[in-house]
Amino acid sequence: MEFFHVKRDIPFMSYGKITTAISLVTFLLAVFFLVHKGLNFSVEFTGGTSIELQYSQTADLNQIRQKVDALKYGEAQVQALGNTRDVLVRIPNIKGKSSAQLSNEVLNVLKQDRQDVQIRKVDFVGPSVGDELVSHGLTAITLVCLGIIAYLAIRFEWRFAISAVIANMHDVIIILGFFAFFQWEFSLTVLAAVLAVLGYSVNESVVVFDRIRENFRKPNMRGRDVPQIIDNAITSTMSRTIITHGSTEVMVLSMLIFGGPALHGFATALTIGILFGIYSSVLVASPLLLMFGVTRENMIKPVKVKQEAVV
C-alpha cells in the first residue's frame, strides 16, 4: 500500500552533512541541559510517601489533585489505582514530617469535601530504593543497546549496528534533554517509554537497512553509487513510514490529550521519541553508514564456486 509513488529518488544523502550537524548540535544541547539542570525525578526515584485511598463512590482525581497541591508538598502525584474508587497519592519527602503525619494531613484535607474517603495503606519509599531504581534503569538501557548491537551485527554488519545504536541513543538523549529543559517529572512510566522508543526506533532502522541491503544486490542498482542506493531505499520506504508512524503517533497523541496526568509523561516521551525516531533512522543512521565506509564490496560477499575436477 502506498499513499504516493515518487518517480525520482529524493536526495537525502546530499543533505547528510547538514542533518548530521543539526543532530550533533541538538545532542550537545540535550547533554548540556541534562548536566546543568538535571532530571526532575519523581517520588519513585527520590523517595517519599505513598498513600492508597479508597472512596465508596467514584473519586474525582482533579479535585483530589487540587486539594493535595494546596498542601504545597511539592510535586505530588495523584492517579487511579485499578478502578474509579481507589486512588494512589505519592508525596515527596518533607523534612520534619513522618509518613503518618503526611497521610493524616492528606486525609483531613480530603474529608473537607467528601467523608467517604479512607486510607487503605501507607508506604514509605526510602532514597536507597530510588538509587536502586536509577541503577536498574541504566542497566536496562545498557542491556537493550547491547542487544541491538548484537542483533544488527549478526543480521547486517558491524557498521549498521554501530550506526543504529548511535541513532537510537541520539533519540534517548533528546528525550531526556526535553525533560531536563522543561523540568517535566521523570517517573517509572517515562523510563518505560524511553525503553519502548529504543525498540521502536530500531525497527524503523532495520526496515531502511533491509532495503539498502536489497538494493546492493539488485542488478538495476549496479551502476549507482552508495549515496544513490541509500536514497532509493529511503524513498521506497516512505509510504510505509507514513502509514506506520502516522497511525502510531495518532494513538500516542490521543493518550497525551485525553489520557490525563497519569499518562502525560509516558505519552510525552513517546511523542518526542517517535518524531525523532523517524528523523534519526533516515537522517542520522543512514549518513553514518557513509561515514563508516559502507561500500558494495563489504556488503556483497563473493560467492565461492566449487570447481569440479576435469577427468
Side-chain angles (χ1 to χ4, degrees):
M1 179 178 179
E2 292 187 358
F3 279 137
F4 52 87
H5 180 71
V6 182
K7 294 182 179 179
R8 294 179 120 189
D9 294 339
I10 302 173
F12 290 102
M13 292 303 99
S14 62
Y15 306 105
K17 293 182 179 180
I18 298 175
T19 57
T20 303
I22 293 173
S23 300
L24 181 60
V25 171
T26 310
F27 180 87
L28 293 177
L29 284 173
V31 172
F32 171 78
F33 291 127
L34 280 171
V35 174
H36 182 67
K37 287 190 170 185
L39 291 172
N40 178 24
F41 288 108
S42 66
V43 174
E44 296 102 334
F45 294 101
T46 60
T49 300
S50 177
I51 307 169
E52 291 186 17
L53 303 171
Q54 187 176 56
Y55 286 80
S56 60
Q57 301 294 328
T58 300
D60 186 345
L61 294 181
N62 290 328
Q63 185 182 34
I64 296 171
R65 192 172 290 108
Q66 290 175 1
K67 286 291 184 181
V68 175
D69 288 342
L71 294 173
K72 300 194 182 298
Y73 288 148
E75 293 287 340
Q77 299 178 11
V78 178
Q79 63 188 66
L81 193 62
N83 55 60
T84 59
R85 295 184 295 109
D86 295 335
V87 179
L88 177 64
V89 178
R90 291 192 179 101
I91 301 171
N93 287 323
I94 306 296
K95 291 184 179 180
K97 290 189 178 182
S98 64
S99 296
Q101 290 175 317
L102 291 173
S103 60
N104 287 332
E105 290 179 5
V106 170
L107 182 62
N108 291 333
V109 75
L110 292 178
K111 280 191 172 183
Q112 293 176 3
D113 291 331
R114 294 180 58 172
Q115 293 294 321
D116 61 334
V117 59
Q118 60 180 351
I119 293 178
R120 292 179 56 191
K121 186 171 66 173
V122 178
D123 291 325
F124 173 74
V125 181
S128 60
V129 178
D131 294 338
E132 185 178 351
L133 286 173
V134 172
S135 63
H136 286 181
L138 293 175
T139 302
I141 293 176
T142 302
L143 291 176
V144 169
C145 290
L146 291 176
I148 291 171
I149 291 176
Y151 168 73
L152 292 179
I154 294 172
R155 179 166 179 178
F156 297 100
E157 200 204 17
W158 68 266
R159 295 175 179 85
F160 288 83
I162 300 301
S163 299
V165 168
I166 292 175
N168 288 355
M169 291 310 300
H170 164 272
D171 301 338
V172 170
I173 297 300
I174 294 299
I175 294 173
L176 298 180
F178 270 97
F179 274 80
F181 178 74
F182 292 104
Q183 285 297 289
W184 294 329
E185 188 176 62
F186 189 87
S187 61
L188 284 176
T189 56
V190 176
L191 177 60
V194 170
L195 294 175
V197 166
L198 274 172
Y200 188 86
S201 182
V202 75
N203 178 68
E204 180 64 22
S205 299
V206 167
V207 170
V208 176
F209 288 171
D210 249 336
R211 187 57 60 90
I212 292 173
R213 184 172 59 179
E214 290 174 7
N215 282 354
F216 275 111
R217 295 188 173 99
K218 289 180 179 178
N220 61 336
M221 292 286 173
R222 288 177 182 172
R224 302 191 184 188
D225 56 20
V226 176
Q228 291 174 333
I229 290 174
I230 295 176
D231 288 338
N232 177 268
I234 297 173
T235 304
S236 60
T237 57
M238 281 182 61
S239 290
R240 180 261 174 201
T241 300
I242 294 172
I243 295 171
T244 304
H245 293 282
S247 58
T248 307
E249 193 68 32
V250 169
M251 181 272 294
V252 172
L253 285 174
S254 66
M255 285 196 300
L256 180 64
I257 297 171
F258 304 109
L263 291 176
H264 189 268
F266 179 78
T268 301
L270 282 180
T271 301
I272 299 170
I274 290 172
L275 292 175
F276 277 92
I278 301 171
Y279 173 83
S280 65
S281 298
V282 175
L283 298 174
V284 177
S286 298
L288 285 174
L289 292 176
L290 297 177
M291 294 177 61
F292 289 137
V294 170
T295 62
R296 189 183 299 274
E297 287 72 23
N298 55 42
M299 280 301 302
I300 302 177
K301 296 180 180 179
V303 179
K304 295 182 180 180
V305 180
K306 185 178 180 180
Q307 296 181 351
E308 296 182 0
V310 180
V311 180

